[in-house]
């Protein structure tokens, strides 16, 4: 029988207590012990999970399906929120431009459609005559000139974009004040024509509306010169311009009085 | 195909053309979904001429509504093209995807030439460079898209 009174037994108990305390309180002892026990612990917990997974297979499957559908829903929400965030940034820029600019802004409109054929570059906006828009008004974004209103109905308008060859804009090079006529190519570039042979034009020059006619207000940014060339006839020079406004992805425009 | 369904398909094609196709421009050219639908209706479904002319006129007018050119140009061209497609499809076989795509390509080119002629008559023609680029690219692009569209079971003859 175990007797507490025996000296030998008391020493064993004392040693066990000291070891237990040392193992629990001293990291020097605890860390290697934990490290040693890590492998069987990982193994057994993994086994336990697997066994649990098999036992609760049906419940887990249902939960998995529910979580997947929840994830799909949340992903859609993230995409929608991202879209709203981007729209918010665009509208903030537009609003800041509207507050700062000196142009007489009639309305801000959203693009709801694009031209159906290849032979015109047109957008359809969601504001019309009821909102004060008339034929001949100028469409722009906070980046620069976008086009001109060519047709209005009560609640929609058609805007011909600057990359349409049928739209001519009287323009000047901001640095040298050389005048020319900007027209579109249906692509992502514009052409400034009717420059004289000795015209002072360089690449990266800024092109703005000249204001020579009443059609466009003076000083609206059109784009930057990316290439200068000589006309085929040899009578003048032309410039290829990269428009400030990317006509292929306009989503909102401001309609301005000419 | 029922008549009312063909009209519905034309309306859907116009909506898609206005809202979606504009985002898939390639060097300024985009495929013409309305023309593809017209060729499918005229060449493969063999509707009677009066109904086909009605379809061509409606789709042409709708295209005119959503474009910046002179109103009515597409309506006239589409009616002429519909008659032409019917005559061609009665004389030569247009079975097989590639032949149909070739027909659609030819039709888009004819449409481009027709539009160019009208714009010349109206005094505002686009330059030859732009015309050739847009004309050929849109014809190829439309033909390629038509190969995809003709795989839609509801549109198969």
């Amino acid at each position: 029988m175990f007797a507490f009174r025996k000296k030998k037994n008391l020493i064993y108990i004392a040693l066990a207590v000291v070891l237990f305390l040392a193992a629990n309180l001293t990291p020097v002892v605890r860390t290697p012990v934990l490290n040693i026990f890590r492998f069987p612990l990982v193994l057994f917990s993994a086994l336990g999970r697997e066994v649990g997974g098999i036992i609760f297979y049906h419940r887990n499957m249902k939960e998995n399906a529910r979580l997947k559908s929840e994830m799909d829903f949340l992903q859609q929400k993230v995409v929608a929120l991202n879209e709203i965030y981007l729209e918010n940034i665009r509208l903030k820029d537009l609003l800041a431009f509207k507050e700062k600019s000196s142009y007489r802004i009639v309305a801000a409109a959203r693009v709801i459609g694009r031209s159906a054929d290849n032979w015109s570059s047109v957008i359809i906006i969601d504001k019309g005559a009821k909102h004060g828009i008339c034929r001949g008004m100028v469409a722009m974004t906070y980046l620069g000139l976008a086009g001109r209103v060519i047709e209005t109905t009560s609640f929609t308008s058609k805007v011909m974009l600057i990359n349409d060859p049928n739209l001519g804009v009287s323009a000047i090079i901001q640095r040298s004040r050389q005048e020319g006529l900007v027209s579109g190519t249906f692509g992502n570039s514009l052409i400034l024509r009717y420059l004289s042979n000795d015209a002072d034009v360089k690449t990266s020059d800024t092109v703005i509306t000249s204001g020579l006619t009443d059609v466009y207000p003076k000083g609206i940014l059109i784009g930057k010169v990316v290439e200068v060339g000589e006309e085929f006839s040899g009578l003048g020079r032309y410039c290829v311009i990269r428009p400030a406004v990317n006509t292929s992805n306009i989503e909102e425009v401001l309609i301005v009085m000419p | 195909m029922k008549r009312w369904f063909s009209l519905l398909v034309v309306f859907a094609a116009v909506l898609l053309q206005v809202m979606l196709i504009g985002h898939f421009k390639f060097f300024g050219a985009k495929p013409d979904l309305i023309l593809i639908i017209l060729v499918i209706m005229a060449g493969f479904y063999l509707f009677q001429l009066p109904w086909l002319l009605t379809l061509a006129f409606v789709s042409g007018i709708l295209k005119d509504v959503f474009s910046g050119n002179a109103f009515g140009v597409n309506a006239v061209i589409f009616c002429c093209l519909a008659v032409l497609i019917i005559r061609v499809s009665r004389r030569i076989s247009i079975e097989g995807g590639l032949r149909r795509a070739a027909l659609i390509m030819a039709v888009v080119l004819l449409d481009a030439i027709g539009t160019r002629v009208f714009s010349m008559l109206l005094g505002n023609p686009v330059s030859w460079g732009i015309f050739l680029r847009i004309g050929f690219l849109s014809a190829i692009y439309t033909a390629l898209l038509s190969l995809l569209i003709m795989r839609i079971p509801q549109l198969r003859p």
Side-chain angles (χ1 to χ4, degrees):
Chain A
M1 286 293 289
F2 191 84
F4 278 100
R5 288 190 182 173
K6 280 189 179 176
K7 198 177 174 182
K8 203 175 165 184
N9 289 342
L10 277 172
I11 290 167
Y12 286 146
I13 291 166
L15 268 175
V17 168
V18 168
L19 275 174
F20 179 76
L21 286 173
N24 277 289
L25 298 175
T26 322
V28 180
V29 181
R30 201 169 53 193
T31 312
V33 171
L34 273 176
N35 274 340
I36 292 163
F37 276 93
R38 188 165 53 100
F39 300 106
L41 277 174
V42 168
L43 186 71
F44 280 116
S45 65
L47 268 174
R49 272 201 309 274
E50 288 302 315
V51 171
I54 293 164
I55 293 169
F56 300 112
Y57 172 76
H58 191 254
R59 189 196 67 183
N60 290 346
M61 193 180 70
K62 270 190 157 181
E63 197 173 339
N64 190 26
R66 188 181 60 80
L67 288 172
K68 267 186 180 167
S69 66
E70 206 167 285
M71 196 176 78
D72 286 348
F73 172 73
L74 288 173
Q75 260 177 352
Q76 277 173 7
K77 247 188 159 170
V78 167
V79 170
L81 283 174
N82 200 27
E83 188 60 30
I84 290 168
Y85 170 72
L86 290 173
E87 190 185 19
N88 191 21
I89 290 173
R90 279 199 316 271
L91 292 176
K92 266 186 185 168
D93 286 340
L94 213 59
L95 190 68
F97 173 79
K98 196 176 172 180
E99 279 167 0
K100 275 191 280 179
S101 73
S102 55
Y103 306 114
R104 285 177 292 164
I105 293 164
V106 178
R110 203 179 286 264
V111 177
I112 54 169
R114 284 163 196 280
S115 72
D117 66 348
N118 275 305
W119 306 104
S120 61
S121 188
V122 166
I123 53 171
I124 296 144
I125 55 172
D126 66 346
K127 298 269 168 72
K130 291 264 184 194
H131 304 92
I133 297 175
C134 302
R135 190 170 183 266
M137 285 183 170
V138 178
M140 57 190 298
T141 71
Y142 64 95
L143 292 169
L145 184 68
R148 195 171 168 216
V149 178
I150 55 164
E151 207 177 303
T152 55
T153 63
S154 297
F155 295 100
T156 58
S157 301
K158 218 186 264 181
V159 175
M160 186 171 273
L161 297 174
I162 43 167
N163 69 337
D164 192 311
N166 292 320
L167 192 80
V169 183
S170 170
I172 50 169
I173 307 283
Q174 197 173 34
R175 182 182 57 81
S176 61
R177 317 308 283 179
Q178 295 286 337
E179 290 166 16
L181 188 78
V182 172
S183 59
T185 59
F186 285 132
N188 290 327
S189 56
L190 309 172
I191 293 191
L192 176 64
R193 285 205 174 90
Y194 309 119
L195 292 167
S196 58
N197 268 327
D198 56 349
D200 180 12
V201 191
K202 290 191 295 192
T203 52
S204 78
D205 270 347
T206 304
V207 181
I208 56 170
T209 52
S210 68
L212 285 177
T213 55
D214 293 337
V215 181
Y216 300 97
K218 190 176 180 178
I220 304 177
L221 179 65
I222 296 174
K224 283 203 183 288
V225 175
V226 288
E227 192 189 320
V228 182
E230 206 162 291
E231 294 275 5
F232 184 68
S233 60
L235 296 172
R237 298 170 86 186
Y238 72 89
C239 300
V240 179
I241 301 168
R242 173 160 297 145
V245 177
N246 187 353
T247 50
S248 59
N249 63 6
I250 297 176
E251 290 186 55
E252 292 96 14
V253 287
L254 290 173
I255 304 298
V256 176
M257 289 280 263
Chain B
M1 188 186 273
K2 297 243 164 84
R3 283 182 173 189
W4 64 267
F5 188 69
S6 62
L7 205 59
L8 211 66
V9 170
V10 166
F11 278 112
V14 171
L15 275 180
L16 278 175
Q17 181 76 26
V18 172
M19 292 169 74
L20 195 72
I21 301 288
H23 294 284
F24 298 101
K25 273 190 174 180
F26 180 70
F27 284 102
K30 57 188 171 191
D32 197 333
L33 195 59
I34 308 169
L35 215 46
I36 295 174
I37 296 298
L38 184 73
V39 174
I40 289 174
M41 301 289 172
F44 316 144
Y45 280 101
L46 305 173
F47 282 120
Q48 293 295 308
L49 190 63
W51 177 247
L52 200 65
L53 281 176
T54 312
L55 272 183
F57 186 76
V58 169
S59 47
I61 284 288
L62 286 172
K63 199 175 172 186
D64 280 324
V65 166
F66 293 109
S67 72
N69 292 328
F71 193 78
V73 171
N74 282 306
V76 174
I77 293 174
F78 273 32
C79 289
C80 297
L81 287 175
V83 175
L84 192 77
I85 296 161
I86 283 192
R87 297 214 163 187
V88 168
S89 62
R90 279 178 188 163
R91 292 197 178 184
I92 57 166
S93 163
I94 45 170
E95 291 300 313
L98 283 176
R99 277 188 186 188
R100 286 171 183 175
L103 176 70
I104 285 170
M105 197 168 148
V107 167
V108 176
L109 278 174
L110 283 175
D111 177 56
I113 291 166
T115 314
R116 165 88 187 172
V117 168
F118 268 101
S119 62
M120 271 171 74
L121 291 173
L122 293 169
N124 50 357
V126 292
S127 69
W128 279 105
I130 295 172
F131 168 72
L132 291 173
R133 168 168 59 90
I134 301 284
F136 279 102
L137 276 179
S138 65
I140 294 166
Y141 205 173
T142 309
L144 289 174
L145 182 72
S146 71
L147 290 173
L148 274 177
I149 286 176
M150 279 187 277
R151 285 172 180 268
I152 300 171
Q154 280 81 5
L155 288 176
R156 273 187 206 156

